[in-house]
Amino acid sequence: MKEEAAIQLNSTGGKNTAMTSKILNIAIGIAALALLVTGGILGYLHFRPSDNPSSLDRTLQKWQQAVDADPGNSLLRANLGATYLDMGDTDNAIKELHLALDQEPDSFTYMFKLGMAYRQAGQLDNAIGMFQGSADRNPKTEKYASLYEVANTYLMEGDLGQAKDYCQQSIDDNDMIWNSRYLMGQLLEKDGDTDGARTQYETAIKFNPDEPSLREALQRVSG
């Protein structure tokens, strides 16, 4: 199995529409969603190209040529799928990432990225399944990002109970992750538990004191 490195959450972790993941790798590069400072789950893919269309087109052509030359290489195919996802082509992203996962069925990195593709395509149940599979295959203390995305996706579905359950699992796996604390605070706030939300925001801000969304949230529940 290919070496899998770290994935990190975005500083806008509490904003659901902004929660797309990006992956770091030792060799090639795609998007790396800087989730945190610690932990590790995803290692493959290319560092994010510039967002202008011509650059993405060139990146797509590069990975397509690489896959054509070596169709059995799951890493190359995953990069192709990830590039399609960067371009907003979720159909082809899902197709290529699925093929990569077929070639390497236990890769939690491919599952995680495929979950992101499914979610971007609006297939939330499929996204949850991929994130759960990624969490199951990660070692203890490195499951938190996948569990966080399960919680985040359940929130998008409007299932606060499941969202809180998986968010708590993410916190239990690594309790120093501000994003998970922030999300739990939002969930508790939606449930009317202002005191519980404030506790979560106060804990989160200890790990990320410069995050504006945390300061705003804490002020909102402390008034």
Side-chain angles (χ1 to χ4, degrees):
M1 177 137 164
K2 297 178 176 63
E3 181 179 355
E4 318 223 18
I7 152 177
Q8 301 183 312
L9 289 182
N10 191 335
S11 62
T12 56
K15 299 178 176 64
N16 298 329
T17 56
M19 287 313 296
T20 56
S21 109
K22 300 170 189 184
I23 299 174
L24 293 171
N25 175 353
I26 45 179
I28 10 190
I30 158 182
L33 206 190
L35 202 165
L36 295 176
V37 228
T38 62
I41 42 184
L42 298 179
Y44 69 105
L45 308 186
H46 60 274
F47 290 103
R48 187 178 185 83
S50 94
D51 287 330
N52 70 75
S54 61
S55 175
L56 285 172
D57 286 342
R58 288 194 299 271
T59 301
L60 181 68
Q61 183 179 28
K62 177 181 73 171
W63 293 122
Q64 185 63 68
Q65 289 173 344
V67 168
D68 290 344
D70 188 4
N73 188 316
S74 65
L75 179 58
L76 297 177
R77 194 172 290 279
N79 274 284
L80 178 60
T83 304
Y84 273 123
L85 189 59
D86 283 344
M87 299 176 77
D89 186 345
T90 54
D91 287 343
N92 276 314
I94 289 169
K95 173 188 171 186
E96 296 299 336
L97 287 165
H98 245 307
L99 287 170
L101 189 57
D102 288 344
Q103 292 170 333
E104 195 172 341
D106 289 328
S107 172
F108 52 78
T109 64
Y110 300 168
M111 289 180 183
F112 189 95
K113 196 63 181 178
L114 184 53
M116 289 296 182
Y118 273 133
R119 191 165 69 188
Q120 189 167 316
Q123 299 182 39
L124 300 186
D125 287 342
N126 286 336
I128 287 170
M130 286 295 120
F131 293 138
Q132 288 172 330
S134 178
D136 289 344
R137 287 162 177 78
N138 263 286
K140 186 175 174 58
T141 75
E142 295 182 2
K143 299 175 181 290
Y144 62 90
S146 297
L147 293 168
Y148 173 93
E149 295 300 350
V150 176
N152 196 42
T153 310
Y154 270 123
L155 176 58
M156 295 171 68
E157 286 193 329
D159 191 336
L160 294 185
Q162 289 278 43
K164 282 195 290 186
D165 178 55
Y166 279 94
C167 192
Q168 186 60 56
Q169 290 183 50
S170 179
I171 292 170
D172 291 343
D173 189 62
N174 188 331
D175 63 2
M176 299 178 66
I177 305 307
W178 79 267
N179 309 75
S180 300
R181 295 285 187 177
Y182 180 32
L183 178 58
M184 182 61 86
Q186 291 179 301
L187 294 169
L188 292 172
E189 194 176 351
K190 285 179 180 293
D191 244 3
D193 185 356
T194 304
D195 290 341
R198 182 168 57 251
T199 298
Q200 293 297 328
Y201 295 148
E202 287 173 343
T203 303
I205 209 165
K206 293 177 183 177
F207 299 120
N208 193 2
D210 297 324
E211 172 55 42
S213 61
L214 278 176
R215 294 198 299 270
E216 292 168 9
L218 189 54
Q219 184 176 17
R220 186 173 60 246
V221 296
S222 300

